[in-house]
Amino acid sequence: MKITIFSLSLFWFFFGIGSTEEKRLLLNDPQQMQSEIHALQQEVEHFRVLAAEFQAQKQEMADLKQRFELLESSSKKYGSIYTRWGKHSCPKLNGTELVYEGTAGGSHYSEKGNGANTLCLPHDPELLPDHFPLSSNPLTSFGFGHIYGGEYEFSLKNMALNDDVPCAVCHVKMATSSMMIPAKQSCPTRWIKQYSGILTSNYYSYSKLEYLCVDEDPDFIERSRQDENGRLFYPVRGVCGSLSCPPYKNESMLSCVVCTM
């Protein structure tokens, strides 16, 4: 009796739209019933297959998430470093993060010694104590090198002449190389642009210093705008001759761009 009631309920659910005579015909037709039962079994098996596929995809997604987390964790140990001159911060790009910010420092524009490169000096230095035990050559006087802060020797947007030059050291997690390209504002194919700007150097008649790319929207360090000199940043102009014109133009200022891959 239970089986008959169950069968009637089941077929009423699936075939409740037809007439009473049609229902009786279906219930009294063993072949039709067998066909419908077989169809239901196929549907159930189909849903079982879908459920298994769903579980497999769910597991695959979990595996991919785990692999991504491992790669993200590993990427923090690698990557590429560059300095963004003229800014307090790094570009707002995916995978680029600030290591530290500071102020540009280097050799005085008129001194022949010291270091030739420019440094990004942190705002929170950990200085050596005054009594640090240094030894000197007994045959010569004890000497030192010097490092000075950097100043702009031009004005642009919110920055003015003699403002101190900030800098930011940036880490690009998903990169292995970085480069500065002079006289360009865009990067080669497959390279990512970090920032573009103005090519700078020391004044042409002063001591040699490296060429650096200052951001096209430069910041400045909040302080007095006194002319204290130090490591000076001048815009660079091209000079025709051994430098082909065109494509270069005589006395035109040069751009620059920093790219990573």
Side-chain angles (χ1 to χ4, degrees), residues 223-235:
R223 212 178 66 172
S224 64
R225 291 179 173 174
Q226 296 180 2
D227 187 11
E228 297 174 330
N229 293 317
R231 200 297 188 194
L232 304 181
F233 287 73
Y234 285 88

Side-chain angles (χ1 to χ4, degrees), residues 85 104-105 118 149-154 165 200-202 212 214 231-235:
W85 300 103
T118 305
E151 285 187 355
Y152 294 113
E153 291 301 310
F154 59 97
V165 181
T200 66
S201 70
N202 202 0
L212 294 178
V214 170
R231 200 297 188 194
L232 304 181
F233 287 73
Y234 285 88

Side-chain angles (χ1 to χ4, degrees), residues 75-218:
S75 68
K76 295 180 181 179
K77 303 176 184 178
Y78 306 100
S80 183
I81 294 285
Y82 71 89
T83 301
R84 188 184 191 189
W85 300 103
K87 297 295 286 186
H88 295 291
S89 60
C90 297
K92 295 181 179 179
L93 298 174
N94 185 29
T96 302
E97 59 185 7
L98 177 70
V99 180
Y100 73 91
E101 63 171 302
T103 181
S107 180
H108 193 276
Y109 74 95
S110 63
E111 293 182 352
K112 296 180 180 179
N114 308 314
N117 59 320
T118 305
L119 303 177
C120 187
L121 301 172
H123 292 309
D124 54 347
E126 299 171 353
L127 303 178
L128 292 174
D130 293 336
H131 59 275
F132 192 79
L134 290 173
S135 59
S136 62
N137 187 338
L139 301 179
T140 61
S141 61
F142 196 68
F144 297 92
H146 292 150
I147 191 166
Y148 299 83
E151 285 187 355
Y152 294 113
E153 291 301 310
F154 59 97
S155 298
L156 178 64
K157 297 183 179 180
N158 295 324
M159 175 272 291
L161 180 69
N162 296 324
D163 274 340
D164 294 333
V165 181
C167 52
V169 176
C170 306
H171 176 232
V172 187
K173 294 184 290 184
M174 307 303 290
T176 56
S177 302
S178 62
M179 65 175 174
M180 187 271 283
I181 307 177
K184 293 290 288 185
Q185 299 182 58
S186 59
C187 295
T189 303
R190 296 184 291 110
W191 288 77
I192 297 175
K193 178 179 175 179
Q194 293 290 323
Y195 76 94
S196 57
I198 302 166
L199 191 65
T200 66
S201 70
N202 202 0
Y203 189 61
Y204 71 88
S205 64
Y206 295 161
S207 299
K208 289 181 174 62
L209 289 175
E210 62 189 326
Y211 293 102
L212 294 178
C213 187
V214 170
D215 194 279
E216 61 192 3
D217 186 18

